[in-house]
Amino acid sequence: SVITFGQGKATVSADQLPNVERIATYMKNNPSSTVVIKGYASPEGSAEVNERIANQRAEAVKNMLVNKYRIDARRITAKGQGVGYMFEEPDWNRVSICTIVED
């Protein structure tokens, strides 16, 4: 699942809530699953700012899963990855990408 962010933002917007909820629902229905959340930034800004905001984006999704959906924090790994280069369009790289891992 992919959660997108506005430029310079690290909060999950209302239009992205269904993406987070999909992850939470899956994890509730599959209690042995874990999730790895990788936060990314677009190339604008300094490396230091991009590193920080990428980490904040990953943590924002993790915090929502823990606080709103009551997913055990031990099942979630969140880490910033700096600037993302997955997409040609720079704006599309302002994301947290969540990958479910089944045991």
Side-chain angles (χ1 to χ4, degrees):
S1 189
V2 175
I3 295 94
T4 60
F5 294 84
Q7 186 172 3
K9 305 285 186 215
T11 54
V12 178
S13 60
D15 66 325
Q16 296 301 304
L17 292 177
N19 298 335
V20 179
E21 190 167 335
R22 262 193 297 280
I23 298 161
T25 299
Y26 184 89
M27 293 185 79
K28 285 182 179 186
N29 292 334
N30 297 275
S32 66
S33 65
T34 59
V35 65
V36 176
I37 305 167
K38 294 182 178 180
Y40 296 91
S42 57
E44 301 91 3
S46 70
E48 180 183 322
V49 168
N50 286 335
E51 190 68 35
R52 185 179 76 243
I53 202 161
N55 190 56
Q56 289 171 341
R57 288 172 176 162
E59 288 294 326
V61 176
K62 177 181 179 175
N63 290 337
M64 182 167 278
L65 288 170
V66 171
N67 298 325
K68 182 173 182 169
Y69 298 102
R70 302 291 180 222
I71 303 296
D72 187 336
R74 294 173 292 189
R75 297 174 60 198
I76 305 168
T77 302
K79 51 190 164 187
Q81 303 294 304
V83 173
Y85 295 102
M86 292 86 52
F87 304 103
E88 193 172 312
E89 179 65 39
D91 291 355
W92 294 355
N93 289 296
R94 294 184 204 117
V95 297
S96 284
I97 298 177
C98 304
T99 306
I100 297 285
V101 180
E102 282 293 334
D103 285 340

